[in-house]
C-alpha cells in the first residue's frame, strides 16, 4: 500500500485563553439584500474603492457612544471578505472607511485623531474626543487592551486603567506631553499644554472646567475644589443625571502632595502587520460565533459582578453583543507551487504543477 502524509498550517499568535459562548443572532435578510463581488489583479500596492449607496448607515442605527456598552439595531453591510486568488502573499490587507480606520499602528491612530489640528491644546482635545467615542467600559482583567492598536482594531473596550494608558500613548504619538494622575480607585491622565496640566478622563467621559467656564481643570484644581466635579455630568451622555454619582466621582480626588511625572504601563507597540497567503480569505463581519478572548480563569468569579474576563458574565448582554469574530479561511491548492509553500512537512508526496490532485510518489 502506498501512503502519503503532510502537515499544512498557519501559525498564528496564541491567545492566553478563550471562552466559547452562544453565537449572536443572524441579521435579518431584507428585500433587495444581495452580495457584491469585486475581482482585481495587482502586482504591487493597490487600492480599490467600494461605494455604498443609501441614506442610512450604522451610526444612525445605534445608541450614541457613552460610558457603557451601546446597542446596535441594524447594519447596512454585514460583512466584507478579501480573498487571495493569486500566487503570492498579500501584505497587510485592510479596510479603510471614508478615509478613516487606516490604523496599522498607534502612530497611525494618533495621526488620524489629530488630522487638521496644529496647536498642542487642540491636538490634546482631539485625541481625547477620538478615543472616548470609540470604546466602552469593560475589560478582561489583564494587559491585553493596554495597547491602542489592539483596542481600536480588535476589542473596542477598556477599563479606566487601560483607557488612561491608551490615551497617554496616543498623546505621546501626537506630540502632547502627559502624565498619570493620582486618584483613589480610578486611573486618569493629564495633558500638558498652554503652560499647565489639564485632566481629561476618557473612561468616565469627563472634563471639568474652572470657574471661568472655559479652561479645563487639572487634577490639582479639582482636588482643591470638588464642586468643579459635582456640577459636571459624569459617566457620559447615556447616564441619567445623578448628583450622588457626581459626588462619588469627586471623592476619588484627594491627593494634595507632590505630583512627580510617572507613566502608565504602555507604550503601545503592537502593529496590525500580517500576510494573506494564496488560497486564504479573511472576512470581517458584524456578529460573532460566541468565541471571546479572556485573560483569566472564568470558572472563578473573583471580581464579583465584573466577572473574570468573560464579557457576558462580567459586563452583560450589551457588551457581549458588541463582540465580533472575523473568519480566516485557508484552502491552499496543494497541486500548485504557491499552495505547497504552506506545507511544513511532507512524506512520500508528489504534486507537480498542472496535476489536479496530490499523489503518492512511489
Amino acid at each position: 500500500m502506498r501512503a502519503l502524509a503532510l502537515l499544512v498550517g498557519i501559525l498564528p499568535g496564541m491567545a492566553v485563553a478563550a471562552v466559547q459562548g452562544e453565537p449572536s443572532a443572524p441579521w435579518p435578510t431584507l428585500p433587495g439584500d444581495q452580495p457584491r463581488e469585486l475581482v482585481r489583479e495587482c502586482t504591487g500596492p493597490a487600492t480599490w474603492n467600494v461605494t455604498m449607496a443609501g441614506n442610512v448607515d450604522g451610526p444612525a442605527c445605534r445608541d450614541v457612544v457613552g460610558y457603557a456598552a451601546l446597542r446596535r439595531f441594524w447594519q447596512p453591510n454585514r460583512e466584507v471578505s478579501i480573498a487571495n486568488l493569486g500566487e503570492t502573499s498579500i501584505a497587510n490587507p485592510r479596510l479603510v472607511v471614508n478615509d478613516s480606520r487606516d490604523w496599522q499602528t498607534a502612530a497611525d491612530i494618533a495621526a488620524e485623531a489629530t488630522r487638521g489640528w496644529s496647536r498642542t491644546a487642540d491636538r490634546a482635545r482631539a485625541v481625547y474626543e477620538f478615543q472616548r467615542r470609540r470604546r466602552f467600559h469593560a475589560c478582561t482583567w489583564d494587559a491585553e487592551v493596554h495597547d491602542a492598536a489592539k483596542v481600536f482594531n480588535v476589542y473596542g473596550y477598556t477599563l479606566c486603567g487601560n483607557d488612561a494608558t491608551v490615551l497617554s500613548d496616543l498623546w505621546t504619538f501626537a506630540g502632547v506631553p502627559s502624565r498619570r494622575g493620582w486618584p483613589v480607585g480610578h486611573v486618569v491622565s493629564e495633558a500638558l499644554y498652554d503652560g499647565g496640566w489639564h485632566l481629561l478622563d476618557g473612561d468616565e467621559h469627563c472634563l471639568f472646567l474652572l470657574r471661568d467656564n472655559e479652561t479645563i481643570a487639572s487634577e490639582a484644581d479639582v482636588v482643591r475644589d470638588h464642586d468643579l466635579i459635582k456640577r459636571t455630568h459624569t459617566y457620559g451622555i447615556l447616564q441619567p443625571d445623578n448628583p450622588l454619582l457626581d459626588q462619588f466621582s469627586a471623592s476619588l480626588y484627594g491627593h494634595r502632595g507632590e505630583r512627580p511625572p510617572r507613566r502608565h504601563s504602555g507604550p503601545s507597540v503592537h502593529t496590525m502587520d500580517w500576510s494573506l497567503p494564496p488560497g486564504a480569505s479573511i472576512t470581517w463581519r458584524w456578529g460573532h460565533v460566541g468565541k471571546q478572548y479572556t485573560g483569566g480563569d472564568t470558572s472563578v468569579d473573583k471580581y464579583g459582578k465584573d466577572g473574570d474576563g468573560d464579557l457576558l458574565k462580567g459586563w452583560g448582554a450589551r457588551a457581549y453583543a458588541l463582540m465580533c469574530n472575523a473568519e480566516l479561511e485557508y484552502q491552499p491548492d496543494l497541486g500548485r507551487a504557491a499552495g505547497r509553500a504552506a506545507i511544513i512537512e511532507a512524506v512520500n508526496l508528489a504534486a507537480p504543477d498542472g496535476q489536479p490532485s496530490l499523489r503518492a510518489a512511489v
Side-chain angles (χ1 to χ4, degrees):
M1 176 182 293
R2 295 183 298 175
L4 59 87
L6 70 160
L7 176 63
V8 180
I10 297 178
L11 302 177
M14 298 299 292
V16 175
V19 175
Q20 182 64 55
E22 291 296 322
S24 58
W27 292 97
T29 299
L30 302 178
D33 285 355
Q34 58 182 340
R36 298 168 59 187
E37 184 178 82
L38 178 68
V39 180
R40 293 289 187 273
E41 181 178 351
C42 65
T43 58
T47 301
W48 292 282
N49 295 322
V50 178
T51 301
M52 292 184 60
N55 298 315
V56 180
D57 59 10
C61 298
R62 60 159 170 77
D63 291 331
V64 294
V65 179
Y67 168 78
L70 52 78
R71 297 169 298 171
R72 295 188 184 276
F73 305 102
W74 182 74
Q75 284 293 338
N77 182 36
R78 301 179 194 174
E79 63 182 40
V80 176
S81 297
I82 297 179
N84 186 351
L85 307 178
E87 300 292 324
T88 59
S89 293
I90 301 174
N92 299 325
R94 56 190 182 271
L95 300 178
V96 178
V97 182
N98 296 334
D99 201 28
S100 175
R101 302 187 66 85
D102 193 358
W103 300 339
Q104 290 295 103
T105 66
D108 295 332
I109 298 169
E112 179 179 321
T114 57
R115 188 182 298 157
W117 301 106
S118 58
R119 293 178 60 247
T120 303
D122 293 333
R123 293 171 71 82
R125 181 66 181 271
V127 168
Y128 162 76
E129 295 293 344
F130 177 95
Q131 187 262 3
R132 75 181 182 93
R133 296 175 187 273
R134 288 166 175 81
R135 43 75 66 187
F136 62 91
H137 181 84
C139 76
T140 53
W141 297 109
D142 64 356
E144 183 71 3
V145 288
H146 275 359
D147 192 289
K150 292 183 179 182
V151 169
F152 296 111
N153 285 291
V154 182
Y155 298 105
Y157 53 76
T158 55
L159 210 63
C160 60
N162 319 122
D163 189 84
T165 297
V166 169
L167 182 58
S168 180
D169 282 352
L170 293 180
W171 275 335
T172 298
F173 284 110
V176 179
S178 66
R179 69 181 182 185
R180 181 172 177 169
W182 296 80
V184 176
H186 189 38
V187 185
V188 295
S189 293
E190 292 182 287
L192 179 64
Y193 60 84
D194 291 346
W197 292 99
H198 305 271
L199 171 62
L200 297 98
D201 185 348
D203 177 49
E204 295 188 5
H205 287 232
C206 292
L207 53 82
F208 312 107
L209 299 181
L210 294 178
R211 295 293 177 170
D212 64 4
N213 290 326
E214 293 182 357
T215 306
I216 297 176
S218 68
E219 184 184 8
D221 291 329
V222 299
V223 168
R224 287 191 298 268
D225 187 354
H226 275 188
D227 283 342
L228 299 179
I229 299 179
K230 294 177 183 178
R231 68 176 187 162
T232 302
H233 183 92
T234 57
Y235 286 90
I237 194 171
L238 295 180
Q239 178 69 32
D241 285 332
N242 187 335
L244 290 179
L245 189 60
D246 299 336
Q247 292 185 50
F248 164 76
S249 293
S251 72
L252 303 176
Y253 296 92
H255 178 73
R256 296 180 179 273
E258 296 295 323
R259 299 178 184 276
R262 58 173 185 164
R263 282 195 54 80
H264 296 279
S265 55
S268 297
V269 297
H270 186 76
T271 71
M272 299 302 293
D273 295 341
W274 68 296
S275 294
L276 189 67
S281 66
I282 178 71
T283 300
W284 294 272
R285 58 190 175 188
W286 291 106
H288 62 79
V289 296
K291 181 173 288 186
Q292 61 172 306
Y293 167 87
T294 174
D297 178 5
T298 59
S299 65
V300 181
D301 192 5
K302 64 182 179 182
Y303 289 102
K305 68 181 181 65
D306 289 346
D308 189 15
D310 185 328
L311 279 179
L312 181 59
K313 181 176 70 174
W315 304 100
R318 287 191 183 183
Y320 188 66
L322 291 178
M323 184 175 66
C324 295
N325 291 146
E327 181 179 35
L328 179 63
E329 184 176 346
Y330 190 37
Q331 296 182 344
D333 183 352
L334 299 179
R336 304 171 66 181
R340 294 198 301 277
I343 297 176
I344 298 172
E345 182 179 358
V347 178
N348 200 33
L349 175 67
D353 283 342
Q355 295 294 326
S357 61
L358 300 173
R359 60 182 175 81
V362 294

